[in-house]
Amino acid sequence: MLNNIYNIFFIPEIFLACSSFVCLLFGLFLKKNAFRQTSNLAVFVLLLTILLVYYDSESNFANYKSLFSHSSFINFFKILALLGSIASIIISKDYFSGIKLKNFEIPILFLFSTLGMMLMIASNNLMSMYLAIELQSLSLYVAAAIKRDSISSAESGVKYFILGALSSGILLYGFSLIYGFTGSMNFNEISFYLSKYDNLNLGLIFGLVFVMVGLAFKVSAVPFHMWTPDVYEGAPNSITGFFAIVPKIAAVALIYRFCLVPFENFYLEWSQIILFLSIASMFLGAIAAIAQSNIKRLLAYSSIGHIGYILIALVAANDDGIKAASIYMFSYMIMNVAIFAILLSLKVKNEYLINISDLKGLSKSNPIVSLSISIIMLSMAGIPPFIGFFGKFYVFIAAIEQELYVLSVLGVLASVISAFYYLRIIKIMYFDESKSEGIINFQISFQSKIILSLSLFLIICFIFYPSLLINISASLTI
Amino acid sequence: MIDWPLVSVIIFLPLIGALIILFIKEDELTSINIKWAALLTTLGAFILSLILWLRFDYSNPSYQYEEKFRWFDDFNFFYHVGVDGISLFMILLSTFLTPLCILASWNNIKKRVKEYMLSFLFLETVMIGMFASIDILLFYIFFEAVLIPMYLIIGIWGGNRRIYASFKFFLYTLLGSVLMLIAIIVMYRNTSSMSIEFLQGNYFSYNTQLFLWLAFFASFAVKIPMWPFHTWLPDAHVEAPTAGSVILAGVLLKMGGYGFIRFSLGMLPEATEFFIPLIMTLSIVAIVYTSLVALAQTDIKKLIAYSSVAHMGIVTIGIFLVNQQGLEGAMMQMISHGLVSAALFLCVGVIYDRMHTREIEFYGGLVQRMPLYATVFMIFMLGSVGLPGTSGFIGEFLVIVGAFKFSSYVVIGAAFGIILSAVYMLYLYKRIIFGTITNNKLADILDINTREKIILIPLAISVILLGVFPNLFLDPMRLSLELIITNYEIVNAK
């Protein structure tokens, strides 16, 4: 296949890896404005990578078959992750300048972490999966702690690192058990080996549980969610935005692939774990968010809740489930991009907005912004006619297709609880009387405005032509 | 029959008006433009819905003016709207009341006029859309989207406890309707269809029906509301601004009744048969209990709110009698209540705008200063009591006639409630209208002005029209109701 050696550079991952190094050098030798230039270059690189993923043919991939896999599901999630990371680089540019954090390494870290995520999504082998996870996580650990003179940023970086390392250790132990009992690292070979048996033996069950724990940590499903609120809170807002938008996409794709490829025949074994994670995440996400006063912690719990819904679709484990997951993940990404685009441009008394109560009076001073926040919140709560509703709707279709009635009812109940805190934000903006007006500034760059308008457009107008996304997600195969 | 999509135009006309208003800049001078834009849009929708009525084919029991487009490629969800005899008057009620609401808020909404009008226009689109949907998913989307503008209307322009009331309203009704979502998906899974028209057969096994029925019951019983799920209603009514209460009482409560007729009766006949005793019991408790509670109220709006629960009790009895008189009575009672309670809230609004209190104690002897007001108020009060010649009578009479076929205990309960309704309404009227003026603050209160006449007189005329010529309204709906009853009887006679 490699009759032309240059073909190798058109493999998206290799292209992204090489370009990341180019970006690094580019940033290093720039004297002026290194951060902005590198960010722009990074966005450009990611755009090219999307094109390469889109036109990627299987033939390019032949040499890595045992390590990485190739399917429409993988490509969809790769593009989603790339889009998320483009959006988060663009919306965070002004914020970084605002807090005088202009290290050109930040976009590079995002690039490396995105590379790790693409490998994670595509990995078809325990070893490549582990390495991809580590590449992704290490970049994120550094990113969380990037604001060196801030104690909270350092704390969140260290917390994330220690807990992340622990979960990687558990994951690795699980891998070793699986490898030990099946004799293979490749997903398909494991699946083939396991197809000869009706039951998993004890060692494999242990391995499976350990891997599940590690993956649950990565998607921040309850009870392995503890790091999420703290890391979200401590990291600079734009890093939080990246955390909320992109790594979840990769981790969800990975947990889907891990459950549905090597262990597809052992639904009963892993579905119990996922079922528990799902219910616990939905309810804890919904209830714990009620008491939060910090918007970033609130969004952290909200993302935990969303993970619960995505895991419902995994428990369903049918074609509708895969479809639901891709639609839900798309809506999740769009909503988070929109809310972070706003949060990264809102300043209260020259400080970036942290406390929810500071939103008071926003509806008077900035009616359009508060209307946008309300729409995003209602969409996150799953109220029609916004996109968030359709995400949930497809999840419940998948669940009921599998006759998971109790799980669906629990799911909708949790969504009612979570509606409370989303509504609370609307309440603070619209219902609470504020005496001091005009302390909130909304300054947004042209590029972020485009991203924001585009995502709001998708949130509102999805209902008019849903088939565009739905046809794509219906054709996905794992 | 008609070559342009009339129903869609009616649904989306208010939304287009809302979009136009969105681009009007709001300040002291231009807020009047916003009001006129909203008023003209809603009047346009009303006139179009009158055309809908005029061209309506009385001899056709099924949907007319149907429009159907493929909406989702993967499942059989359609953008499918149309009008039949049942939804025709619900749509008319919505389009009739919304311009009145806009007029009623002409002067007393001073802050955020733009957002207010946007909410009302969005609300109108959603209400009409809900009644016109033939696809259940479309119905559900509209059904839940109603919560958004209503939440804002109560929460921004409401009274002192508006935040509590708006949250209670939102979460209570959301909890009901999410269970309906599960039921809808289960229905789809069993039949691969989301068409209300198609599903009005008998497609579900008995046990499935029972669960589906309970899920639908959860959402409609909260919406209509039935005792003991009614506690959100008094709070929402008392705290909402006048126009909010009008829409809430006039249209939103009817969504519950409409849902019961379409879904419970139409799609789940066997389960309905099973649950009829439950409904009857709850309804009679509601009628008697809330009437007694209404008697003890000191706030005028709260009294009318409790009377709404009692009147809706008559509606649920009528619906679940599942005979011609019962259903026609329930429909008439819904239309009548939509007009009468809306008018009563507007009447309360009139004196509230002048005195800024709703305490019954505060008033007394208004007839001395406001003779015209006293007359109009009396028409609506008598309509609420159900005096012959007013709209309230037709509904209650038909329901009681229908109830004799079912059980005389139900008749006794319903009749007792009607007597109690006369007690609390007449007592209210006596306390605030009759007598001499004892409160000095009322000494120079003014009678209703032209704007208020424009609002109240059409309502008074329609209340009497409905009472004198009920067939004008009963004829179009008769065949559609017969269709549901026939289907119900065939299934349950097996």
Side-chain angles (χ1 to χ4, degrees):
Chain A
M1 279 299 148
L2 286 181
N3 35 19
N4 186 344
I5 189 74
Y6 298 111
N7 262 354
I8 199 167
F9 291 108
F10 292 104
I11 297 177
E13 283 83 354
I14 292 181
F15 172 79
L16 185 57
C18 297
S19 327
S20 306
F21 287 118
V22 173
C23 283
L24 184 59
L25 289 173
F26 179 73
L28 201 58
F29 288 110
L30 270 183
K31 293 276 185 309
K32 264 167 59 184
N33 237 347
F35 172 72
R36 272 188 183 271
Q37 306 279 13
T38 325
S39 299
N40 290 340
L41 188 64
V43 170
F44 181 68
V45 164
L46 289 170
L47 280 172
L48 283 181
T49 318
I50 290 186
L51 278 182
L52 288 179
V53 174
Y54 188 75
Y55 291 109
D56 188 23
S57 62
E58 200 152 354
S59 59
N60 277 340
F61 223 75
N63 286 30
Y64 304 95
K65 260 238 148 81
S66 65
L67 292 179
F68 299 103
S69 173
H70 189 278
S71 75
S72 49
F73 178 82
I74 290 171
N75 277 359
F76 180 86
F77 272 83
K78 272 185 192 170
I79 290 179
L80 219 53
L82 288 165
L83 285 174
S85 100
I86 290 173
S88 52
I89 291 177
I90 291 176
I91 60 177
S92 56
K93 263 195 289 187
D94 271 14
Y95 176 85
F96 283 123
S97 314
I99 60 165
K100 311 246 170 349
L101 189 71
K102 292 192 190 167
N103 309 28
F104 70 88
E105 292 91 343
I106 296 170
I108 313 287
L109 285 173
F110 284 176
L111 284 182
F112 277 119
S113 138
T114 312
L115 172 65
M117 286 175 225
M118 288 176 68
L119 295 173
M120 246 167 101
I121 297 169
S123 59
N124 199 37
N125 185 301
L126 297 177
M127 190 56 85
S128 63
M129 174 173 157
Y130 180 75
L131 290 175
I133 289 176
E134 285 308 288
L135 175 59
Q136 182 254 172
S137 314
L138 277 171
S139 321
L140 293 183
Y141 301 148
V142 181
I146 194 84
K147 201 176 171 190
R148 280 172 305 180
D149 47 359
S150 147
I151 293 175
S152 61
S153 171
E155 181 199 323
S156 86
V158 171
K159 224 175 230 172
Y160 191 21
F161 174 69
I162 292 173
L163 286 169
L166 181 70
S167 81
S168 293
I170 293 172
L171 198 65
L172 206 52
Y173 189 49
F175 286 166
S176 69
L177 283 171
I178 293 174
Y179 175 65
F181 281 93
T182 59
S184 173
M185 293 244 183
N186 184 290
F187 283 6
N188 305 100
E189 282 170 25
I190 294 173
S191 170
F192 178 72
Y193 174 84
L194 291 176
S195 63
K196 290 179 248 171
Y197 299 93
D198 290 335
N199 295 311
L200 291 180
N201 65 35
L202 196 60
L204 270 172
I205 286 182
F206 264 92
L208 182 64
V209 171
F210 279 130
V211 174
M212 282 295 160
V213 170
L215 291 177
F217 178 88
K218 299 294 175 203
V219 296
S220 74
V222 179
F224 308 104
H225 67 288
M226 308 292 187
W227 60 277
T228 320
D230 292 342
V231 173
Y232 272 41
E233 187 187 0
N237 290 7
S238 49
I239 306 279
T240 310
F242 188 81
F243 279 155
I245 298 163
V246 205
K248 293 279 161 64
I249 298 172
V252 164
L254 184 62
I255 199 167
Y256 266 72
R257 278 186 44 77
F258 184 79
C259 290
L260 296 177
V261 179
F263 289 95
E264 59 172 332
N265 296 326
F266 296 92
Y267 173 76
L268 278 181
E269 277 76 6
W270 57 260
S271 70
Q272 294 169 21
I273 305 174
I274 302 287
L275 186 74
F276 172 77
L277 294 176
S278 159
I279 295 174
S281 307
M282 286 187 303
F283 277 91
L284 192 116
I287 292 166
I290 292 174
Q292 303 305 323
S293 61
N294 180 315
I295 185 105
K296 288 200 283 178
R297 286 187 84 86
L298 183 132
L299 287 171
Y301 282 110
S302 136
S303 80
I304 292 171
H306 285 302
I307 290 298
Y309 290 98
I310 294 175
L311 294 181
I312 291 186
L314 179 54
V315 180
N318 45 22
D319 289 347
D320 282 338
I322 293 167
K323 186 160 82 180
S326 49
I327 294 169
Y328 201 108
M329 226 43 232
F330 179 79
S331 74
Y332 171 85
M333 184 196 86
I334 293 292
M335 293 184 295
N336 271 294
V337 165
I339 190 73
F340 275 99
I342 292 175
L343 285 185
L344 293 175
S345 321
L346 272 184
K347 272 184 172 177
V348 183
K349 295 178 192 150
N350 292 324
E351 293 278 318
Y352 282 97
L353 182 111
I354 300 284
N355 287 323
I356 301 174
S357 54
D358 288 342
L359 285 168
K360 207 181 267 183
L362 186 67
S363 63
K364 285 240 175 80
S365 55
N366 266 310
I368 303 286
V369 178
S370 52
L371 182 68
S372 315
I373 298 182
S374 312
I375 288 173
I376 299 164
M377 288 300 135
L378 289 168
S379 173
M380 281 191 170
I383 308 288
F386 305 116
I387 192 170
F389 165 73
F390 293 95
K392 289 211 168 74
F393 178 64
Y394 271 88
V395 164
F396 292 126
I397 287 188
I400 283 170
E401 189 63 34
Q402 209 66 23
E403 305 196 339
L404 299 163
Y405 299 117
V406 178
L407 185 59
S408 335
V409 171
L410 288 175
V412 293
L413 292 183
S415 84
V416 175
I417 301 174
S418 66
F420 176 79
Y421 64 82
Y422 294 121
L423 288 179
R424 209 177 107 229
I425 294 180
I426 302 178
K427 174 215 140 200
I428 287 167
M429 290 189 302
Y430 280 94
F431 303 174
D432 289 354
E433 306 285 343
S434 79
K435 296 194 177 61
S436 51
E437 273 179 47
I439 52 166
I440 306 179
N441 280 325
F442 184 72
Q443 289 168 326
I444 189 163
S445 70
F446 177 68
Q447 289 174 343
S448 320
K449 205 183 251 172
I450 291 177
I451 299 274
L452 177 60
S453 330
L454 203 64
S455 36
L456 279 172
F457 175 80
L458 285 171
I459 290 174
I460 299 169
C461 296
F462 178 79
I463 182 172
F464 295 117
Y465 190 57
S467 303
L468 192 63
L469 174 65
I470 282 163
N471 285 346
I472 296 173
S473 48
S475 64
L476 299 184
T477 46
I478 200 116
Chain B
M1 199 162 72
I2 192 162
D3 52 354
W4 48 295
L6 187 57
V7 179
S8 288
V9 172
I10 298 177
I11 295 175
F12 290 108
L13 184 67
L15 200 62
I16 293 165
L19 282 179
I20 293 168
I21 288 177
L22 198 63
F23 292 107
I24 302 178
K25 201 172 174 332
E26 182 186 354
D27 57 40
E28 297 278 308
L29 288 170
T30 54
S31 72
I32 192 80
N33 295 347
I34 295 175
K35 289 172 190 167
W36 274 107
L39 184 64
L40 290 177
T41 322
T42 49
L43 277 178
F46 177 57
I47 291 166
L48 287 174
S49 58
L50 282 180
I51 296 176
L52 197 73
W53 188 13
L54 288 177
R55 298 206 186 178
F56 191 79
D57 179 9
Y58 288 16
S59 59
N60 181 355
S62 63
Y63 284 96
Q64 304 176 28
Y65 306 101
E66 275 187 66
E67 293 160 36
K68 192 171 182 178
F69 303 104
R70 191 145 197 111
W71 184 24
F72 281 67
D73 281 351
D74 55 344
F75 292 123
N76 287 324
F77 308 150
F78 293 90
Y79 172 79
H80 191 184
V81 290
V83 175
D84 73 349
I86 302 169
S87 51
L88 175 66
F89 288 106
M90 296 294 156
I91 292 172
L92 270 167
L93 197 60
S94 320
T95 53
F96 179 52
L97 288 178
T98 320
L100 297 181
C101 283
I102 304 233
L103 266 180
S105 355
W106 204 260
N107 291 334
N108 54 16
I109 296 297
K110 293 195 175 63
K111 56 168 189 177
R112 301 190 188 172
V113 178
K114 190 169 163 179
E115 280 101 332
Y116 187 82
M117 295 302 167
L118 282 177
S119 306
F120 261 96
L121 290 175
F122 182 64
L123 184 61
E124 189 180 13
T125 287
V126 177
M127 289 185 308
I128 302 170
M130 198 215 77
F131 289 125
S133 313
I134 310 182
D135 186 276
I136 312 185
L137 181 65
L138 196 63
F139 172 87
Y140 180 81
I141 286 173
F142 284 128
F143 191 84
E144 256 200 24
V146 165
L147 300 180
I148 303 169
M150 208 57 216
Y151 170 73
L152 295 176
I153 289 170
I154 298 175
I156 302 180
W157 296 278
N160 293 332
R161 288 171 69 239
R162 60 183 194 279
I163 291 167
Y164 171 76
S166 58
F167 271 85
K168 197 171 179 182
F169 164 76
F170 196 105
L171 296 177
Y172 230 103
T173 34
L174 182 64
L175 183 63
S177 49
V178 288
L179 292 174
M180 180 164 81
L181 179 65
I182 302 289
I184 287 174
I185 298 173
V186 172
M187 279 182 153
Y188 181 77
R189 184 173 174 261
N190 283 347
T191 59
S192 296
S193 172
M194 281 259 178
S195 161
I196 291 179
E197 217 173 1
F198 174 79
L199 287 168
Q200 293 196 334
N202 188 30
Y203 292 101
F204 307 103
S205 70
Y206 189 62
N207 286 332
T208 321
Q209 277 200 29
L210 295 184
F211 284 109
L212 290 176
W213 194 93
L214 284 173
F216 280 114
F217 176 75
S219 70
F220 300 139
V222 169
K223 204 87 183 179
I224 197 167
M226 290 182 81
W227 183 86
F229 310 109
H230 68 283
T231 54
W232 64 271
L233 185 76
D235 287 313
H237 267 319
V238 172
E239 300 307 325
T242 302
S245 304
V246 169
I247 285 291
L248 198 57
V251 186
L252 297 202
L253 302 192
K254 298 342 176 253
M255 292 181 172
Y258 178 80
F260 274 134
I261 297 179
R262 277 260 189 272
F263 293 87
S264 306
L265 254 58
M267 300 178 190
L268 311 165
E270 285 174 291
T272 305
E273 185 77 16
F274 179 80
F275 282 110
I276 279 178
L278 172 76
I279 293 273
M280 290 301 169
T281 318
L282 290 182
S283 307
I284 289 171
V285 172
I287 293 172
V288 177
Y289 167 79
T290 50
S291 299
L292 291 173
V293 174
L295 204 51
Q297 295 307 313
T298 57
D299 183 306
I300 309 176
K301 258 189 165 178
K302 217 164 197 171
L303 190 149
I304 302 171
Y306 277 109
S307 84
S308 291
V309 183
H311 282 126
M312 287 296 122
I314 305 239
V315 172
T316 41
I317 288 183
I319 292 173
F320 285 91
L321 290 172
V322 210
N323 53 37
Q324 191 73 32
Q325 289 84 2
L327 268 174
E328 283 181 3
M331 283 299 292
M332 283 306 275
Q333 176 76 355
M334 281 204 274
I335 299 167
S336 154
H337 178 264
L339 299 169
V340 170
S341 67
L344 285 173
F345 279 119
L346 286 166
C347 285
V348 179
V350 168
I351 51 176
Y352 181 78
D353 286 347
R354 288 166 174 65
M355 290 293 132
H356 298 286
T357 177
R358 288 184 301 259
E359 287 297 307
I360 299 175
E361 293 282 295
F362 183 86
Y363 297 99
L366 285 180
V367 70
Q368 313 288 346
R369 297 285 309 163
M370 311 173 77
L372 202 53
Y373 176 73
T375 318
V376 186
F377 197 165
M378 189 174 70
I379 295 174
F380 299 130
M381 187 268 300
L382 293 175
S384 175
V385 171
L387 192 82
T390 63
S391 58
F393 171 73
I394 310 293
E396 286 172 359
F397 176 74
L398 283 171
V399 170
I400 288 188
V401 170
F404 267 115
K405 293 187 186 167
F406 179 76
S407 145
S408 46
Y409 293 109
V410 175
V411 179
I412 294 169
F416 190 51
I418 292 168
I419 295 167
L420 281 175
S421 85
V423 175
Y424 61 74
M425 285 315 292
L426 292 171
Y427 186 46
L428 171 76
Y429 192 74
K430 174 195 157 271
R431 280 183 291 173
I432 61 173
I433 303 287
F434 289 149
T436 51
I437 295 183
T438 46
N439 191 336
N440 287 333
K441 287 178 186 156
L442 292 174
D444 47 0
I445 191 169
L446 294 173
D447 206 346
I448 49 177
N449 59 27
T450 319
R451 181 179 58 88
E452 286 156 352
K453 278 180 205 158
I454 295 173
I455 302 168
L456 291 173
I457 287 172
L459 280 167
I461 292 172
S462 34
V463 167
I464 293 170
L465 187 73
L466 208 64
V468 180
F469 299 108
N471 271 346
L472 201 61
F473 298 86
L474 285 174
D475 283 342
M477 68 177 74
R478 186 161 286 138
L479 286 175
S480 301
L481 291 175
E482 253 169 29
L483 189 73
I484 286 180
I485 296 167
T486 323
N487 169 40
Y488 179 88
E489 280 169 354
I490 292 171
V491 170
N492 279 311
K494 272 175 197 168

